Amino acid sequence: GPVAPPQPATDVDLAHPRSEWETEAQLAAAAEAEGGNLMVYSSMSTDDLEADLSAFQTAYPSVHPEYYRASGDTVIQKALTESQANRQIADVYESQAFEIHRLMQTGLLDPFVAPESDAYPDGAKDANGFWTVDRITLVVIGYNSDLVDPEELPGSWEDLPDARWSGQSGIE
């Protein structure tokens, strides 16, 4: 039958996050019982994603990973559209912090704390188990040195809305 739409993340009991599995082996067994497929929605580069899923397949041969890869915004829009249609296709969402936060706000994520997250500093994981950093994307400001003197460069992200840069900057 139809799946009930997700509840907002505010309905999650953060003091006692839901977890149906005590170990990774139980999680893998549950995936196998559901048909052995794992669907990952990701904005990671295809080469990196395929390498990660190949390593996963080696570690869990009874679980067969598949993926949908697109830009972070497209991945999240797909997830939200499916949710509105009462469909939950993805098992794992992998994207940048902003997109994952949007999924948290809509209630599409359940907390899961992998044992490996203990090795991560507090700023690299959600205190309630909704996410753990799996990659770091460096964001830099680039400029055309023929058009802009180094002394004129913005000193921070907050300087970019200045009228001086109107129509001359972009973020992707």
Side-chain angles (χ1 to χ4, degrees), residues 65-145:
E66 300 175 60
Y67 68 88
Y68 169 79
R69 193 262 173 236
S71 70
D73 190 56
T74 302
V75 165
I76 299 317
Q77 286 305 316
K78 180 174 175 61
L80 295 175
T81 299
E82 290 170 356
S83 173
Q84 290 172 348
N86 292 324
R87 297 189 66 201
Q88 177 80 30
I89 297 172
D91 297 301
V92 174
Y93 297 104
E94 187 288 329
S95 196
Q96 297 174 357
F98 179 75
E99 284 85 11
I100 296 301
H101 184 72
R102 286 174 55 198
L103 288 180
M104 284 176 58
Q105 291 176 320
T106 63
L108 285 175
L109 302 181
D110 284 330
F112 178 76
V113 179
E116 295 82 2
S117 68
D118 288 342
Y120 288 72
D122 289 344
K125 59 188 173 187
D126 179 60
N128 297 308
F130 283 96
W131 55 265
T132 301
V133 169
D134 69 326
R135 62 182 162 127
I136 296 175
T137 302
L138 300 178
V139 179
V140 299
I141 296 176
Y143 69 98
N144 184 333
S145 59

Side-chain angles (χ1 to χ4, degrees), residues 4-5 14 28 31 44-45 54 56 76 80 91 95 97 113 134 146 149 157 161-162 171:
L14 297 178
M44 184 184 294
S45 75
S54 177
F56 179 90
I76 299 317
L80 295 175
D91 297 301
S95 196
V113 179
D134 69 326
D146 292 335
D149 290 324
W157 291 107
D162 187 282
I171 297 176

